[in-house]
Amino acid sequence: MNAVCLTGMLVPYYSMVSLLTANPYERGLLGNIQQIFQTLGNVVVNATFITLLSKFTSSTKTVYTQRAFTIAMLIYCLLMVVISLFCVYNIPLYNFLKNKITYKALSGV
């Protein structure tokens, strides 16, 4: 499930890098930053998932219940949507499209 969700998220984000800059160095830097934060996100999810399961179950002996998994996944999905929307609405390309700024003004040329 994780691989399917990550593929669905990573393909558009990697495609968006080429739209953000024409500079190969900046593209590489953006790709590296993306990989770093993806790894950090995986670490956070792996470190907090069992804790969330134990919060949403009736017994600590049976943390692997469908209810606990569903609530934990809904929390992670909502966080992903909020963070993704924050990122999309704060990139220069969105402001470029919204305000119809010229490409020269966007690139500083």
Side-chain angles (χ1 to χ4, degrees):
M1 181 67 173
N2 191 18
V4 172
C5 292
L6 277 177
T7 301
M9 285 294 295
L10 289 179
V11 169
Y13 277 115
Y14 278 119
S15 299
M16 197 174 7
V17 169
S18 65
L19 296 174
L20 292 175
T21 181
N23 185 343
Y25 174 77
E26 289 178 350
R27 285 184 183 180
L29 183 64
L30 286 172
N32 288 338
I33 290 171
Q34 181 179 1
Q35 286 293 322
I36 289 169
F37 281 104
Q38 176 189 342
T39 302
L40 290 175
N42 282 336
V43 168
V44 168
V45 168
N46 288 334
T48 60
F49 191 71
I50 298 297
T51 305
L52 276 177
L53 288 180
S54 65
K55 297 277 187 208
F56 299 113
T57 189
S58 58
S59 170
T60 56
K61 293 181 181 180
T62 58
V63 295
Y64 300 112
T65 62
Q66 183 176 359
R67 178 181 178 272
F69 270 94
T70 303
I71 293 172
M73 288 307 299
L74 284 174
I75 289 171
Y76 286 126
C77 289
L78 287 174
L79 279 172
M80 182 191 75
V81 167
V82 168
I83 291 170
S84 294
L85 288 174
F86 176 78
C87 291
V88 166
Y89 289 116
N90 285 302
I91 60 172
L93 183 63
Y94 175 75
N95 293 329
F96 167 74
L97 295 174
K98 181 180 173 188
N99 299 324
K100 297 181 181 174
I101 302 170
T102 64
Y103 182 74
K104 288 183 180 180
L106 181 65
S107 63
V109 175

